[in-house]
Amino acid sequence: MSTTTQTETAQLQLNAGSIRHALSDVVKTDDWSDFKFTPIRESTVSRAMTSRYFKDLDKHAVSDVIIVGAGSSGLSAAYVIAKNRPDLTVTIIEASVACGGGSWLAGALMSAMIIRKPGHLFLEELKIPYEDEGDYVVVKHAALFITTVISEVLKFPNVKLFNATAVEDLVTRPDGPNGELTVAGVVTNWTLVTQAHGTQCCMDPNVIELSGYKNDGTRDPSAKHGVILSTTGHDGPFGAFSAKRIVSIDENQKLGGMKGLDMNHAEADVVKNAGKYNGVNSMYFAGMEVAELAGCNRMGPTFGAMLVSGIKAAEEILKHFAE
Ligand code: AHZ
């Protein structure tokens, strides 16, 4: 039960003038000596968190769209998908505690983020201020970009982020019309568990399944098949996860391997190669994971291709659900 307080326009008097107090509902004077929070039990806090988490896990156990990796490319895609299709269940799995991947600092531990045009149009959509330098724009703080995208994406009611959760494997089924493999979900674990696999005996994972199946696990032809968009970045402790896994499953593909830095070629090539993966159904890629899959150059600290490849993959996914 909530505790109500009288609303008054409380004023905190400072020498510099009169400032409206941010807690005007609660704090009525500048005397803090009898300040109290509303009462709570510890178990109430536990239940408030666990009930929601497991309700969300239950709802998202079958998802229309699973986005693996919440860096700049994955979150740009999530924004476009969730905004255009509020009816789709969108699940974001992020291995780290914090979303954002490499975009908290744009490059070389410096704060300004460079975005080549026309990637700046996405900044306009999100009302993120930038300095226009002609062919490119600069966002003063990369952190401003990523925090804005995170907050916009997480406001959509159809989106749930499971952070500190790693995708450990893909669920596959041989259910294409000609026996082609289809990706049917992701295998997840809390990242701390994933990191401890080498030190403990078997700790089995959880599964998030894509929509489009009947209760017996066979394809439901009346329901649209869900999709996975993988945006786990280039190779690293966790990166390029789905790219590496898919080529180990698909005998017709080899990992291209990310090539050296070439800004001019890399950004357009990543965008051109982003989107649906040909060979295994229901799988899409964006961001630097595309460079690993297709063998594109890296671009270093220019982020236009992250935003635009995410938007391209999102648009292909929207088309899939519209067909
Ligand atoms: O934690 C990872 C990061 O937040 C997450 N991730 C990776 N593997 C995962 C897994 N399960 C769940 N198995 C996983 N999450 O994916 C996110 C990737 O973000 P990123 O910023 O590394 O990738 P991006 O492709 O969106 O942006 C890349 C930015 C780069 S790298 C680069 C260069 O090296 O030249 N240039 C740019 C612009």
Side-chain angles (χ1 to χ4, degrees):
M1 213 200 310
S2 68
T3 307
T4 53
T5 53
Q6 289 284 316
T7 304
E8 282 172 25
T9 310
Q11 303 274 302
L12 192 64
Q13 299 294 331
L14 297 182
N15 287 342
S18 160
I19 295 174
R20 193 177 187 283
H21 200 284
L23 292 177
S24 60
D25 252 12
V26 186
V27 183
K28 301 218 168 3
T29 70
D30 58 356
D31 176 7
W32 292 74
S33 57
D34 63 351
F35 178 80
K36 283 195 188 76
F37 279 102
T38 51
I40 202 153
R41 285 179 71 181
E42 285 77 2
S43 55
T44 305
V45 174
S46 299
R47 286 182 175 141
M49 293 188 300
T50 54
S51 60
R52 282 168 179 79
Y53 190 86
F54 290 104
K55 196 171 157 207
D56 286 337
L57 210 47
D58 182 77
K59 179 174 169 207
H60 288 254
V62 175
S63 293
D64 297 311
V65 180
I66 300 172
I67 298 179
V68 187
S72 48
S73 59
L75 288 170
S76 301
Y79 176 86
V80 174
I81 295 167
K83 183 177 178 186
N84 283 284
R85 288 295 301 263
D87 56 314
L88 298 179
T89 308
V90 180
T91 305
I92 305 174
I93 314 281
E94 169 50 54
S96 293
V97 170
C99 297
S103 55
W104 281 98
L105 286 160
L109 301 184
M110 291 185 257
S111 48
M113 176 182 254
I114 315 301
I115 296 177
R116 287 166 68 197
K117 293 182 177 177
H120 71 300
L121 296 175
F122 191 55
L123 303 178
E124 290 184 5
E125 162 76 16
L126 297 174
K127 300 186 176 53
I128 298 172
Y130 59 77
E131 291 163 49
D132 195 330
E133 295 286 357
D135 290 335
Y136 67 95
V137 304
V138 183
V139 181
K140 187 179 173 194
H141 293 109
L144 172 62
F145 166 79
I146 200 62
T147 52
T148 307
V149 187
I150 293 169
S151 69
E152 290 299 321
V153 166
L154 297 186
K155 275 187 229 161
F156 290 117
N158 55 330
V159 171
K160 174 65 192 175
L161 163 72
F162 294 101
N163 50 339
T165 303
V167 168
E168 292 189 341
D169 206 350
L170 302 171
V171 179
T172 57
R173 290 193 183 132
D175 64 357
N178 303 309
E180 308 97 314
L181 265 190
T182 296
V183 178
V186 292
V187 177
T188 67
N189 226 324
W190 282 310
T191 303
L192 292 174
V193 176
T194 301
Q195 289 171 331
H197 280 315
T199 62
Q200 299 286 321
C201 63
C202 182
M203 293 180 288
D204 275 331
N206 190 24
V207 168
I208 297 185
E209 201 188 6
L210 289 175
S211 51
Y213 292 94
K214 297 191 219 158
N215 281 344
D216 63 2
T218 59
R219 184 80 180 86
D220 177 357
S222 70
K224 205 80 201 166
H225 198 287
V227 302
I228 293 173
L229 170 61
S230 193
T231 54
T232 67
H234 61 64
D235 206 358
F238 277 105
F241 174 79
S242 310
K244 289 188 277 189
R245 189 65 180 115
I246 208 90
V247 297
S248 75
I249 295 167
D250 176 8
E251 57 196 24
N252 300 314
Q253 267 278 9
K254 274 202 339 234
L255 203 60
M258 185 176 72
K259 304 290 183 297
L261 194 151
D262 177 348
M263 277 184 194
N264 271 316
H265 290 110
E267 290 220 82
D269 285 349
V270 163
V271 172
K272 285 181 206 156
N273 285 285
K276 194 165 176 14
Y277 174 86
N278 291 321
V280 176
N281 289 325
S282 314
M283 192 80 218
Y284 293 72
F285 287 92
M288 284 311 281
E289 196 168 358
V290 172
E292 292 286 0
L293 191 63
C296 309
N297 293 95
R298 72 194 299 188
M299 69 290 294
T302 52
F303 280 76
M306 299 304 101
L307 283 47
V308 178
S309 67
I311 293 166
K312 182 189 177 205
E315 288 187 352
E316 285 188 15
I317 289 168
L318 290 171
K319 268 191 208 134
H320 161 79
F321 282 103
E323 276 162 8

